[in-house]
Structures are given as structure tokens and as C-alpha cells.
Amino acid sequence: LIAIISVIVGIMVIASFIIARIIARRISHPIEQLAIATQRIAQGDLDFKVSVEARDEIASLVEAFNKMTTDLKQYKLDLIKAERLAAWRDVARRIAHEIRNPLTPLQTTIYRLKERFKDAPEQSEIPDMLETMARKVEDLIAMANRFSEFAKMPEPKPEPLDLNETVTQVIRLFEATLEGITVVMRLTPGLPHVLADPIQIRRLTENLIKNAVEAMPSGGTLAIRTLSLAQTEGKNHVRLEISDSGPGIPEEIRERIFDPYYTTKPSGSGLGLALVHRIVKDHGGKITFDSSPHGTTFRVDLPVAEKGEG
């Protein structure tokens, strides 16, 4: 009996030792990987992820660590963008100043020459040439004004804002330029007010609609939608969606479309979407987009105005 008990006890001790080693291994391996990941991240490798099988608290720890790494990478990118944005604003101020200085006297000179040659013979090309020059100068002045606006963009002055009303007002401004374009409006009735600067949100909407219209020079469909994310995603935000049926944004430039001065349009300044991006960030919102050869959709999420705000 003593021998049998001894064997049983021995088996239990060995089994306990093996089970303890397995459990310890399951715990120590993820922790070891977390230690390695911590060292990698401290060295600046924010792409490193912990990839181990774990359960219970250890699994939650690994998941939280990986999320922290993703957040750190995003914060780093936001910081880089903010630093570049500050530098670009200085460049914008200089460009606006350098462009404006020679343009005003040039515009005056062209006007005087147009007056002098307005009675020129029909076969003379001078009036046409002067008219072309005048239009180009006006384009340059408009570009300088956009640079100046971007550089002097003020801090938002938020107040409760009816997004549906803003969208309706803006689309009326484009009615004369929407030839060949079908407008589909799906504005959610009773939409909660957002906490936003009315002037800046109006400018944001104008830029997104203008961008969509320019993507469809031969006509197409412009779809505008508003909805409350509290009903769909449980977030206390309101979403504005603006879609076009154009050819889409090329894959190779999608990461740069919000960069200031980056544009693929011959006459573009590259400030429209950069301005939109800045307005959204200044309002504590979020902007995303989807694009395919069948069209592009921009989504802007803005925080809802809580009671007592504004």
C-alpha cells in the first residue's frame, strides 16, 4: 500500500511539475515577447507587434500593448504632419507675399494697355493677348489669396450648428455649375447639431463638393448624405458623406492627398483637401475616404453639440 501511494504521489508530483512548466511557459513566453517588444519600441520600431497565443489577462495585456503601439505610431505621424504644417504655413505666407507684390502693378499695366488698344484693328492680336494675360494674372491673384487663407486660418469658434442647413445652403451655390451632374441628397431629418465653426464647416463643405464636381467633367452623380453615428456605430458624432462617380483617386497618390500643395490638377493649388483636413482636425473630428475606378466617397465625422455647449 505504501509503495502504491508512493507511486501515485510520484506521478502526481511529476504531472504537477509538467503542468506547472506548461502554464509557466504559456505565461512567460508572452511576457518575454512583451519585453522584447518594449525594447524594440524604445528603439523607435513602432511597426513591431507581439504575435503570441495567450489567454485571459495575458491576452488582454498583449492586445492592449499592440493597440498602444498602433496609437503611438499614429501620434508620431500626427506630430510629423503638425510640424510640416507649421513649416508649410510659413511657406504659404511667403508665397502669397511674393506673388502679390508684382501682380498688382502688372494688373494695372495690363488694364491700361487694354484701354489703349481697345480700338485696335480686328486683325490685331494684341487685345486677345492682353485679355489672356489679364485672366492669367487673375488666376495668380486667386492662388495667392488661397495661400494667404491657408496661412491665416484662424482657430475655430464652435457653436451648435445644423449641418443639414449648411449643406443645403452650399449646394445652392453650385447649382449653376452642375450641368450634366445629378445631385442625390439624403439628409437625415432631426439630425443632432454639431459643435463647429459655421464659417469653417461651410468652407469644408464647399471644398469637398467642388472637389467632387471637378472629378466629373463629363457629368455624373453627386451624392450627399448626413447621418447620426449614434444610431449606427454608437458614437456621439454626426457624419457628412460626399460621393462622386468619377474615375477615383489613383492608388499611388492616396497617401498624399491631404498634403498641402500636392495636386494632380494643372491649375490646382493643392490646398483644398489640406484645408479640409486641417478644419476637421481642429474640430476634433475625423476624415476618411474610399476610392475606386467607379468613384470616391469622403466621410467627415464631427462631434455632436452636447447640452449647454456653445
Side-chain angles (χ1 to χ4, degrees):
L1 182 60
I2 293 174
I4 291 173
I5 292 173
S6 299
V7 171
I8 293 173
V9 169
I11 292 173
M12 291 178 64
V13 169
I14 294 172
S16 299
F17 177 76
I18 293 173
I19 292 171
R21 286 295 301 272
I22 292 174
I23 294 174
R25 183 61 180 168
R26 284 182 176 176
I27 295 175
S28 65
H29 181 60
I31 293 177
E32 181 183 350
Q33 291 300 308
L34 285 170
I36 293 172
T38 303
Q39 184 176 3
R40 294 280 294 272
I41 289 169
Q43 294 171 350
D45 184 6
L46 298 181
D47 290 319
F48 188 81
K49 292 286 188 297
V50 179
S51 179
V52 293
E53 292 185 4
R55 297 178 182 176
D56 303 327
E57 292 86 356
I58 300 298
S60 299
L61 182 61
V62 170
E63 183 180 350
F65 189 90
N66 285 335
K67 184 179 183 304
M68 179 200 69
T69 305
T70 302
D71 291 344
L72 280 174
K73 183 177 180 181
Q74 186 59 50
Y75 295 152
K76 182 179 179 181
L77 291 174
D78 289 345
L79 180 60
I80 292 172
K81 285 183 179 180
E83 290 173 348
R84 287 191 307 181
L85 205 59
W88 279 331
R89 283 199 290 270
D90 290 335
V91 173
R93 278 191 287 268
R94 290 198 297 271
I95 290 175
H97 178 72
E98 295 299 329
I99 290 177
R100 277 200 185 117
N101 274 352
L103 286 182
T104 302
L106 182 59
Q107 192 177 37
T108 303
T109 302
I110 292 173
Y111 175 77
R112 289 174 179 171
L113 288 173
K114 285 173 65 178
E115 287 296 311
R116 181 184 300 177
F117 290 97
K118 65 181 180 180
D119 297 326
E122 292 184 2
Q123 65 272 20
S124 174
E125 297 179 354
I126 294 177
D128 291 338
M129 293 171 60
L130 290 172
E131 183 61 33
T132 300
M133 291 175 61
R135 286 199 299 268
K136 294 301 180 183
V137 168
E138 288 174 0
D139 290 343
L140 288 172
I141 291 175
M143 182 181 293
N145 289 337
R146 288 195 292 271
F147 283 135
S148 184
E149 283 181 11
F150 182 77
K152 296 179 180 178
M153 190 73 180
E155 291 295 320
K157 298 178 180 178
E159 61 182 62
L161 176 69
D162 186 338
L163 189 59
N164 285 347
E165 184 179 344
T166 299
V167 170
T168 303
Q169 291 173 353
V170 171
I171 199 65
R172 287 176 186 153
L173 299 175
F174 286 87
E175 287 179 351
T177 63
L178 296 177
E179 185 176 354
I181 294 178
T182 302
V183 179
V184 178
M185 302 274 282
R186 290 188 294 165
L187 307 183
T188 301
L191 195 70
H193 286 192
V194 296
L195 187 65
D197 185 309
I199 296 175
Q200 293 191 15
I201 297 304
R202 187 185 182 94
R203 185 173 299 175
L204 174 151
T205 309
E206 288 174 358
N207 275 302
L208 287 178
I209 292 177
K210 180 175 179 287
N211 199 64
V213 171
E214 290 177 349
M216 303 179 290
S218 301
T221 300
L222 171 65
I224 303 174
R225 180 189 180 200
T226 60
L227 66 152
S228 171
L229 296 186
Q231 299 173 353
T232 58
E233 299 182 16
K235 297 179 181 178
N236 204 19
H237 285 65
V238 164
R239 173 171 291 175
L240 168 65
E241 289 186 358
I242 297 180
S243 306
D244 64 68
S245 58
I249 302 170
E251 183 76 33
E252 62 273 14
I253 71 168
R254 291 180 187 176
E255 293 184 359
R256 300 188 60 190
I257 64 169
F258 294 120
D259 287 354
Y261 316 138
Y262 184 77
T263 181
T264 58
K265 302 171 186 176
S267 60
S269 64
L271 294 178
L273 288 177
L275 197 64
V276 167
H277 185 266
R278 183 178 172 191
I279 290 172
V280 172
K281 291 299 181 183
D282 285 350
H283 282 78
K286 179 182 178 182
I287 181 168
T288 57
F289 70 93
D290 293 324
S291 190
S292 74
H294 306 293
T296 301
T297 298
F298 282 91
R299 299 180 181 89
V300 174
D301 298 344
L302 296 171
V304 169
E306 303 294 343
K307 292 183 178 179
E309 289 184 318

